[in-house]
């Protein structure tokens, strides 16, 4: 096994959607090995491998597993829930993992289930991923038919289009058949989760990383990437770059290496203007930050988040006000409507950004924009409210002159030449159930 | 996933879904997906009532769930759907030109259905194909990347279905 | 039960000791500090942390926390807006966001002056608005039912109303539609919000988004008075506040008695007050002068009443409604029994005291592990709030068992459960005693049919204890109250009686057949006491001046003509009754929030229980028919146009198994037949109904009897 590939290993050479093929490269062998171990030892192995969550928050998976009370202290059954709702703008890694290496993901689920002594795995896959749902369902059927599940069962559950359902507690409500809205926490899912039972929620990639830990052994696995968070990550590279795509690399790869070596540089030889390092919800980087290693701690030290390791490259044709407006329309559209600051604040931000973008804004509006960001930050029920301001606030802070020129010049300095000019968003189209216009003109 | 033809078929399929979960209410999303298939791609009030009946929930509850998610349509749709992602990665590499091309070709704007009821044209948020942008989704299948030049061919292909 | 561990927390520098795990909002209140809330309402379930009004700073936590979702932990240090700039900014932010799209139409809003949003904005909000965009607009107001109007622009999406509908009344009809900034409160396809408890959402709504249609534009908060009283519409006896303006009742609100009603009212109790203004309300005494009635002065009326009574001598029968106050029933008893020796009465229902040995507050149901509901009549139709307690118990994990009658197996289960509650509408077959429900944590309740049937029986019995000898023929029938007047059995007696005096509120109920009609009053117009189904003695208060003197005053004058002394003051009459049957409790001590008398050991229970079992219907083919009086029926409800949509349709309830066997689907039209009668009804499937039983509201079951055949 090439040390660099643990999650997508073999997936580009072989048809790993087939059980036989997966078995020829040792598939489900790690499950067997893990099942030969005591559950506590499984958790210990994952803990020692220092596997951190790839879904956004970077929480240690082993620690999360150990928060699940042991069977004799449970009042209801425990569950494993795989978060396959991947909807963060810029991210498309879980999709490739599920489409090309579904069995590895399923194997990871079963190892996790053994670790926390659960007999029920639910995979919540976003509704748009129909092909992936079919591939995954077939893999699940195949594994079930082959008797691999033993006394455990795996259910693939299709979402129906709601970004918020990627947030773990909203996902649980959605899985329970309700509107997918976040729950107040604590209690956290490992203690009180699905149907009130202890629940381990992990991202697809986190779970798909588990078999390699058992295959390579903790020692070898922790040699990949930085000490604080070893292993590989699938970087989703997109935007104005010559070779976009998924790149599985050791954590800690620098932005420069990713964009210029693997991604072959900025498209059409344009100048780099900005880099979004972790999906649209994180603060933006500027070209002088190209040498930041892309691992959890380094990115955070540099003022942003690795998030879902989705890197969006923005070249010099993009107007940052338009970028902010487009991003904010997404958050307004996806705000679940449960808590006040996020529901009302995102809408207000869109109104302010629209006014500034069209050139009707004043300095007062610009100041208010920044202030409304602060008023939302840290006050919402889940992190979506924060996401909705990390991006825009950082665009204002780092490209303040550009925002100011919109106000002072009464319009976009790009004069219609921005790559984002006139971009419309789903929230601009007729909604499927019109009761009020989201933002009246 | 084929569409359940008869009401009895539908109930049977919903019962199977309910059995997958410790609490049968979890099957409501699956039941809505099935009902939508049975009702020409959208969920008229009768469909919601049908789901409510099969799920032993109130129609109001079912409607509240259905209206939360973008993929359940509460208004009539065309026989086929074309969706274009206009989120950041797609927008940065020319999604709007693809949208414009579709508008031109279909004669309708985003959120609208062609007059013959054949195609509903819609914009969607990030579809998870950012590395293959711009992303177009035709009848729930991804076409990526799609350039403005591809649009006439795509529309012709769909109309031929 | 062990006493809970105490922990010390500090709120705004005030240290307090509170039970561990107590909600932070309540804990702060114990320290004298307010944590403002909108969405938080512990009565409708766990906190949801939605509105973010309650943001506080907790030492050791970087971010502001929603205080409503936290519980007291030892050593916790909390700062609210009073002492933390960060928390103050948090709360101001929340209010700014709430107000961004709020119409601020307070001058024309019914909530104005009693609105939490106004109050909290005044105390914590920004002084000005920075919103310079068009606000979200909606069609408004939308009638979500004939009783409730919804103004979506005012709604702050606290989800109190939808949580009530989903998790308290469990009707699942009021919901949130759409997502994000487009979310709105709605019903399915604009159908009316139908249910027994819908009006509670009006009181729960912290803004003027859900308002009462009958109360719309009726009064401003500074013009009103709230009179604390008790509802007289059913045997639960929910505690109410009657809002009056210029002497008229304009609205009825809950006055939360945590042991009785938990702060909820049914729609009948909340909205039926309009019957006070009914078009056929009697104001003057009337004497039949066939084919018409003539109006009498009160002196003439008393003269006439005296004449009728003297003519009948002791051949008098009194029919009581069960809506009389204890005092009124006693006064009637005293005059007729002590004064005239007329002991014959038709009591509203048989009453027994055996359950006094298993007495407990209704709230005990919620903590039960096992709740057995015995009898086929729907609990919610007789005592609606009891249904809410049962639902609460189920949510807390209790098992709920419905059965037509007691079985040895049920008895065993009741005996073995640690906390078992038996709820009976009818005969319990001795189950409560044999299952030993006088244990701590257990209880048994019998559901009477009438609001004060128990009190009326107590008072009538207290007046004398001679045996009645039923006169044949009846010289005079005295019909007390509208329920008695509406009772077909009483009507049949009236046909036989030589003369009839009727005391009632509504002309159409008594006009064709009574010889002398004396205007009556409603529970909202009287002072006195009621005994509820728990055996709790509660004070009702006059909220509104009746159009005619109340019954007690009239009886007092009438009695004087027979040299029987009856005080016109309820307090004095009560003291007499109390000395006989309520242990001498003084009137003044009944109090605004009455306590429950202690259990009476089984050996000391007064009298024996009447046989109240369901009439055994002979076995045979077909299904056993149960008819019942629906909650939304009766003289008061019939007079409220806005309540008509709540009345049950022509429906027959079938057990699921029976329906399946007969091939009947929910909503289908079916034929129900018994000896010669055939009715067309809509089928509704029920989980609660025992197999072999069908249930039909009595007003839709005319002609059916005994066992019935049902076919599709
Ligand atoms: C608004 C929002 C959206 C999220 N979307 C996703 C998602 O699509 N996929 C995902 O794995 N985690 C998502 N997360 C993070 C999850 O809440 C959770 O932290 C994660 O699934 C835990 O898995 P991990 O520890 O393996 O990363 C999201 C969080 C928020 C606040
Ligand atoms: S209508 Fe009132 S109770 Fe219901 S969500 Fe809106 S503000 Fe809250
Ligand atoms: S009262 Fe705490 S969030 Fe609403």
């Amino acid at each position: 096994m090439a040390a660099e590939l643990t999650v997508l290993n073999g997936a580009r050479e072989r048809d790993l959607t087939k059980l036989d093929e997966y078995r020829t490269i040792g598939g489900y062998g790690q499950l067997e090995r893990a099942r030969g171990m005591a559950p506590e030892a499984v958790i210990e192995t994952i803990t020692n491998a220092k596997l951190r969550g790839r879904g956004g928050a970077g929480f240690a998976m082993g620690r999360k597993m150990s928060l699940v009370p042991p069977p004799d202290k449970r009042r209801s059954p425990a569950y494993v829930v795989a978060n396959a709702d991947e909807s963060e703008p810029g991210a498309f890694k879980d999709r490739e993992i599920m489409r090309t290496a579904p069995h590895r993901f399923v194997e990871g689920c079963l190892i996790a289930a053994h670790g926390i002594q659960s007999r029920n795995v639910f995979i919540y896959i976003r509704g748009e991923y129909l092909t992936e749902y079919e591939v995954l369902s077939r893999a699940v059927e195949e594994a079930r038919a082959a008797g691999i599940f033993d006394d455990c069962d795996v259910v693939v559950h299709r979402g129906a289009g709601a970004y918020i359902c990627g947030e773990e507690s909203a996902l649980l409500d959605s899985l329970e058949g309700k509107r997918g809205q976040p729950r107040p926490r604590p209690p956290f899912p490992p203690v009180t989760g699905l149907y009130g039972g202890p629940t381990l929620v992990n991202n697809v990639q986190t779970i798909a990383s588990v078999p390699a830990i058992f295959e390579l052994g903790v020692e070898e696995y922790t040699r990949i990437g930085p000490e604080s968070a070893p292993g590989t990550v699938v970087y989703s590279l997109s935007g104005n770059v010559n070779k976009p795509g998924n790149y599985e690399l050791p954590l800690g790869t620098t932005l420069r290496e990713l964009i210029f070596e693997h991604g072959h540089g900025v498209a059409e030889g344009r100048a780099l203007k900005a880099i979004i390092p972790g999906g649209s919800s994180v603060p933006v980087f500027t070209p002088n930050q190209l040498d930041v290693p892309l691992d959890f701690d380094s990115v955070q030290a540099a003022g942003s988040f690795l998030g879902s390791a989705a890197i969006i490259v923005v070249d010099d044709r993009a107007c940052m006000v338009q970028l902010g407006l487009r991003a904010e329309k997404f958050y307004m559209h996806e705000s679940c409507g449960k808590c006040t600051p996020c529901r009302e604040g995102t809408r207000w931000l869109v109104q302010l950004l629209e006014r500034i973008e069209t050139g009707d804004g004043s300095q007062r509006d610009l100041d208010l924009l920044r202030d409304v960001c602060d008023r939302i930050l840290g006050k919402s029920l889940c992190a979506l409210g924060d996401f909705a301001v990390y991006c825009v606030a950082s665009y204002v802070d780092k490209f303040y002159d550009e925002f100011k020129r919109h106000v002072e010049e009464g319009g976009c300095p790009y004069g219609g030449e921005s790559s984002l000019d006139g971009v419309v968003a789903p929230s601009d189209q007729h909604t499927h159930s019109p009761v009020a216009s989201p933002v009246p003109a | 996933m084929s569409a359940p033809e008869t009401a009895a078929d539908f109930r049977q399929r919903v019962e199977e879904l309910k059995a997958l979960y410790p609490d049968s209410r979890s099957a409501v999303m699956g039941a809505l997906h099935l009902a939508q298939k049975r009702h020409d791609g959208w969920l008229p009030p009768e469909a919601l009532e049908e789901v409510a009946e099969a799920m032993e929930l109130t129609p109001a509850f079912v409607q509240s769930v259905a209206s939360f998610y973008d993929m359940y349509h509460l208004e009539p749709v065309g026989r086929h759907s074309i969706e274009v992602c206009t989120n950041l990665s797609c927008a940065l590499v020319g999604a709007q030109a693809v949208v414009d091309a579709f508008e031109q070709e279909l004669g309708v704007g985003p959120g609208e259905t062609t007059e013959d009821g054949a195609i509903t044209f819609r914009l969607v948020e990030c579809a998870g194909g950012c590395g293959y942008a711009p992303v177009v989704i035709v009848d729930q299948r991804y076409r990526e990347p799609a350039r403005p030049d591809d649009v006439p061919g795509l529309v012709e292909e769909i109309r031929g279905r | 039960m062990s006493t809970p561990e105490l922990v010390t927390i500090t709120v705004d520098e005030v240290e307090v000791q509170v039970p561990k795990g107590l909600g932070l909002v309540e804990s702060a209140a114990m320290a004298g500090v307010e944590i403002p809330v909108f969405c938080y309402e512990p009565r409708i379930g766990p906190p949801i942390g939605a509105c973010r009004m309650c943001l506080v700073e907790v030492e050791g936590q970087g971010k502001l926390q929603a205080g409503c979702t936290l519980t007291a932990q030892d050593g916790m240090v909390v700062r609210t807006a009073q002492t933390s700039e960060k928390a103050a900014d948090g709360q101001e932010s929340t209010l700014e966001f709430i107000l961004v799209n709020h119409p601020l139409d307070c001058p024309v809003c019914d909530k104005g002056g009693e609105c939490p949003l106004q109050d909290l904005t005044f105390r914590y909000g920004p002084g000005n608005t920075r919103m310079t965009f068009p606000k979200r607009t909606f069609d408004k107001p939308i009638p979500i039912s004939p009783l409730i109007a919804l103004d979506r622009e005012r709604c702050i999406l606290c989800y109190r109303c939808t949580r009530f509908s989903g998790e308290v009344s469990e009707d699942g009809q009021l919901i949130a539609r759409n997502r994000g900034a487009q979310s709105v409160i709605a019903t399915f396809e604009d159908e009316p919000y139908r249910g027994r408890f819908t009006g509670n959402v009006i009181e729960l709504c912290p803004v003027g988004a859900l308002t009462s249609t009958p109360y719309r534009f009726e009064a401003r908060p500074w013009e009103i008075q709230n009179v604390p009283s008790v509802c007289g519409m059913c045997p639960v006896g929910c505690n109410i506040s009657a809002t009056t303006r210029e002497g008229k009742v304009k609205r009825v609100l809950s006055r939360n008695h945590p042991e009785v009603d938990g702060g909820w009212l049914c729609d009948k109790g909340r909205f039926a007050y309009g019957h006070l203004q009914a078009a056929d309300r009697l104001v003057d005494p009337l004497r039949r002068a066939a084919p018409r009635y003539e109006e009498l002065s009160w002196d003439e009326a008393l003269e006439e009443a005296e004449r009728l009574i003297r003519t009948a001598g002791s051949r008098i029968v009194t029919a009581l409604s069960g809506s009389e106050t204890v005092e009124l029933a006693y006064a009637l008893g005293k005059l007729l029994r002590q004064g005239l020796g007329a002991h014959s009465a038709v009591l509203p229902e048989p009453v027994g005291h055996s359950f006094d040995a298993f007495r407990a507050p209704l709230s005990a149901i919620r903590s039960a592990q096992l709740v057995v509901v015995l009898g086929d009549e729907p609990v919610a139709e007789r005592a609606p709030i009891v249904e809410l307690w049962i639902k609460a118990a189920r949510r807390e994990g209790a098992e709920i068992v419905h059965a037509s009658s007691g079985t040895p197996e049920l008895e065993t289960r009741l005996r073995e459960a640690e906390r078992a509650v038996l709820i009976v509408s009818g005969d319990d077959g001795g189950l409560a005693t044999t299952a030993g429900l006088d244990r701590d944590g257990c209880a048994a309740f019998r559901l009477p049919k009438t609001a004060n049937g128990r009190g009326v029986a107590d008072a009538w019995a207290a007046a004398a204890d001679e045996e009645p000898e039923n006169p044949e023929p009846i010289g005079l029938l005295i019909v007390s109250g509208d329920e008695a007047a509406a009772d077909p059995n009483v009507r049949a007696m009236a046909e036989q009686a030589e003369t009839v005096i009727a005391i009632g509120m509504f002309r159409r109920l008594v006009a064709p057949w009574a010889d002398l009609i004396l205007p009556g009053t409603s529970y909202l117009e009287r002072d006195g006491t009621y005994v509820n189904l728990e055996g709790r003695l509660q004070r009702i208060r006059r909220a509104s001046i009746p159009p005619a003197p109340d019954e007690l005053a009239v009886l007092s004058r009438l009695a004087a003509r027979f040299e029987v002394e009856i005080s016109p003051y309820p307090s004095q009459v009560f003291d007499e009754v109390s000395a006989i049957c309520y242990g001498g409790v003084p009137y003044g001590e009944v109090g605004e929030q009455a306590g429950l008398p202690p259990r009476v050991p089984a050996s000391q229970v007064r009298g024996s229980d009447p046989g109240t079992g369901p009439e055994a219907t002979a076995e045979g083919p077909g299904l056993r028919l149960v008819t019942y009086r629906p909650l939304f029926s009766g003289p008061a409800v019939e007079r409220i146009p806005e309540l008509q949509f709540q009345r049950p349709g022509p429906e027959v309830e079938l057990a699921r198994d029976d329906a399946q066997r007969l091939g009947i689907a929910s909503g289908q039209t079916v034929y129900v037949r018994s000896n010669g009668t055939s009715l067309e009804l809509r089928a509704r499937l029920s989980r609660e109904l025992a197999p072999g039983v069908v249930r039909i509201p009595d007003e839709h079951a005319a002609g059916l009897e005994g066992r019935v055949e049902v076919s599709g």
Side-chain angles (χ1 to χ4, degrees), chain C residues 605-627:
Chain C
V605 164
R606 279 179 286 148
S608 62
D609 269 14
T612 51
E615 285 161 42
T617 314
E619 290 297 309
L623 302 165
R624 182 159 60 82
L625 172 69
V626 174
T627 62

Short mmCIF file of all heavy atoms in Angstrom, two decimals, chain C residues 605-627:
data_model
loop_
_atom_site.label_atom_id
_atom_site.label_comp_id
_atom_site.label_asym_id
_atom_site.label_seq_id
_atom_site.Cartn_x
_atom_site.Cartn_y
_atom_site.Cartn_z
N VAL C 605 -64.69 5.31 54.54
CA VAL C 605 -65.36 5.94 53.41
C VAL C 605 -66.86 5.99 53.64
O VAL C 605 -67.45 5.03 54.11
CB VAL C 605 -65.03 5.18 52.11
CG1 VAL C 605 -66.00 5.56 51.01
CG2 VAL C 605 -63.60 5.46 51.69
N ARG C 606 -67.46 7.15 53.34
CA ARG C 606 -68.88 7.34 53.55
C ARG C 606 -69.70 6.57 52.54
O ARG C 606 -69.38 6.60 51.35
CB ARG C 606 -69.26 8.82 53.38
CG ARG C 606 -68.98 9.68 54.58
CD ARG C 606 -69.36 11.11 54.26
NE ARG C 606 -68.37 11.74 53.36
CZ ARG C 606 -68.69 12.66 52.47
NH1 ARG C 606 -69.93 13.04 52.31
NH2 ARG C 606 -67.75 13.19 51.73
N GLY C 607 -70.73 5.96 53.00
CA GLY C 607 -71.73 5.36 52.10
C GLY C 607 -71.13 4.29 51.20
O GLY C 607 -69.96 3.95 51.27
N SER C 608 -71.95 3.76 50.38
CA SER C 608 -71.46 2.73 49.47
C SER C 608 -71.53 3.25 48.04
O SER C 608 -72.20 4.24 47.77
CB SER C 608 -72.32 1.48 49.60
OG SER C 608 -73.64 1.79 49.22
N ASP C 609 -70.81 2.58 47.19
CA ASP C 609 -70.80 3.01 45.80
C ASP C 609 -72.04 2.54 45.07
O ASP C 609 -72.47 1.41 45.26
CB ASP C 609 -69.59 2.42 45.09
CG ASP C 609 -68.42 3.37 45.20
OD1 ASP C 609 -68.52 4.29 46.03
OD2 ASP C 609 -67.43 3.17 44.49
N PRO C 610 -72.57 3.39 44.24
CA PRO C 610 -73.69 2.94 43.43
C PRO C 610 -73.16 2.06 42.31
O PRO C 610 -71.99 2.16 41.96
CB PRO C 610 -74.25 4.24 42.87
CG PRO C 610 -73.07 5.16 42.84
CD PRO C 610 -72.14 4.74 43.92
N GLY C 611 -73.98 1.24 41.81
CA GLY C 611 -73.57 0.45 40.64
C GLY C 611 -73.61 1.35 39.43
O GLY C 611 -74.67 1.80 39.01
N THR C 612 -72.46 1.61 38.89
CA THR C 612 -72.44 2.53 37.76
C THR C 612 -71.88 1.87 36.52
O THR C 612 -71.43 2.52 35.61
CB THR C 612 -71.58 3.77 38.08
OG1 THR C 612 -70.32 3.30 38.54
CG2 THR C 612 -72.21 4.63 39.13
N GLY C 613 -71.84 0.59 36.56
CA GLY C 613 -71.22 -0.12 35.45
C GLY C 613 -71.95 0.10 34.14
O GLY C 613 -73.13 0.49 34.14
N PRO C 614 -71.24 -0.14 33.06
CA PRO C 614 -71.93 -0.03 31.78
C PRO C 614 -73.01 -1.09 31.73
O PRO C 614 -72.81 -2.20 32.20
CB PRO C 614 -70.82 -0.33 30.76
CG PRO C 614 -69.75 -1.05 31.52
CD PRO C 614 -69.88 -0.66 32.95
N GLU C 615 -74.14 -0.74 31.24
CA GLU C 615 -75.21 -1.72 31.17
C GLU C 615 -74.71 -2.89 30.35
O GLU C 615 -74.30 -2.72 29.21
CB GLU C 615 -76.45 -1.11 30.51
CG GLU C 615 -77.19 -0.18 31.45
CD GLU C 615 -78.10 0.74 30.68
OE1 GLU C 615 -78.76 0.26 29.74
OE2 GLU C 615 -78.13 1.94 31.01
N ALA C 616 -74.75 -4.04 30.95
CA ALA C 616 -74.26 -5.20 30.24
C ALA C 616 -75.16 -5.45 29.04
O ALA C 616 -76.37 -5.56 29.18
CB ALA C 616 -74.26 -6.40 31.16
N THR C 617 -74.54 -5.44 27.89
CA THR C 617 -75.33 -5.71 26.69
C THR C 617 -75.18 -7.19 26.39
O THR C 617 -74.07 -7.70 26.42
CB THR C 617 -74.79 -4.91 25.50
OG1 THR C 617 -74.56 -3.59 25.96
CG2 THR C 617 -75.75 -4.92 24.35
N ALA C 618 -76.27 -7.80 26.16
CA ALA C 618 -76.23 -9.24 25.91
C ALA C 618 -75.24 -9.56 24.80
O ALA C 618 -75.08 -8.78 23.85
CB ALA C 618 -77.61 -9.74 25.53
N GLU C 619 -74.56 -10.66 24.97
CA GLU C 619 -73.69 -11.14 23.90
C GLU C 619 -74.53 -11.38 22.66
O GLU C 619 -75.75 -11.59 22.75
CB GLU C 619 -73.02 -12.45 24.31
CG GLU C 619 -71.98 -12.30 25.42
CD GLU C 619 -70.80 -11.43 25.00
OE1 GLU C 619 -70.24 -11.70 23.92
OE2 GLU C 619 -70.47 -10.48 25.72
N GLY C 620 -73.90 -11.35 21.55
CA GLY C 620 -74.66 -11.60 20.34
C GLY C 620 -73.83 -11.23 19.16
O GLY C 620 -72.64 -10.90 19.30
N PRO C 621 -74.43 -11.25 18.00
CA PRO C 621 -73.66 -10.89 16.81
C PRO C 621 -73.42 -9.39 16.78
O PRO C 621 -74.07 -8.63 17.49
CB PRO C 621 -74.57 -11.34 15.67
CG PRO C 621 -75.94 -11.27 16.23
CD PRO C 621 -75.83 -11.54 17.71
N GLY C 622 -72.49 -8.98 15.96
CA GLY C 622 -72.24 -7.55 15.78
C GLY C 622 -71.33 -6.99 16.86
O GLY C 622 -70.68 -7.72 17.61
N LEU C 623 -71.30 -5.66 16.93
CA LEU C 623 -70.38 -4.97 17.82
C LEU C 623 -71.16 -4.24 18.90
O LEU C 623 -72.29 -3.80 18.68
CB LEU C 623 -69.54 -3.97 17.01
CG LEU C 623 -68.75 -4.60 15.86
CD1 LEU C 623 -68.27 -3.54 14.89
CD2 LEU C 623 -67.57 -5.39 16.40
N ARG C 624 -70.51 -4.09 20.06
CA ARG C 624 -71.19 -3.41 21.16
C ARG C 624 -71.09 -1.90 20.95
O ARG C 624 -70.01 -1.36 20.73
CB ARG C 624 -70.56 -3.80 22.49
CG ARG C 624 -71.23 -3.15 23.68
CD ARG C 624 -70.94 -3.92 24.95
NE ARG C 624 -69.52 -3.99 25.25
CZ ARG C 624 -68.85 -3.00 25.86
NH1 ARG C 624 -69.47 -1.90 26.24
NH2 ARG C 624 -67.57 -3.12 26.10
N LEU C 625 -72.25 -1.25 21.04
CA LEU C 625 -72.30 0.19 20.79
C LEU C 625 -72.07 0.97 22.08
O LEU C 625 -72.70 0.68 23.10
CB LEU C 625 -73.66 0.57 20.20
CG LEU C 625 -73.93 2.07 20.07
CD1 LEU C 625 -73.04 2.70 19.01
CD2 LEU C 625 -75.40 2.34 19.76
N VAL C 626 -71.17 1.94 22.02
CA VAL C 626 -71.01 2.87 23.13
C VAL C 626 -71.31 4.26 22.59
O VAL C 626 -70.72 4.68 21.60
CB VAL C 626 -69.57 2.83 23.68
CG1 VAL C 626 -69.38 3.92 24.73
CG2 VAL C 626 -69.25 1.47 24.24
N THR C 627 -72.25 4.93 23.22
CA THR C 627 -72.49 6.32 22.82
C THR C 627 -72.03 7.22 23.96
O THR C 627 -71.97 6.81 25.11
CB THR C 627 -73.97 6.60 22.54
OG1 THR C 627 -74.70 6.38 23.75
CG2 THR C 627 -74.50 5.71 21.45
#
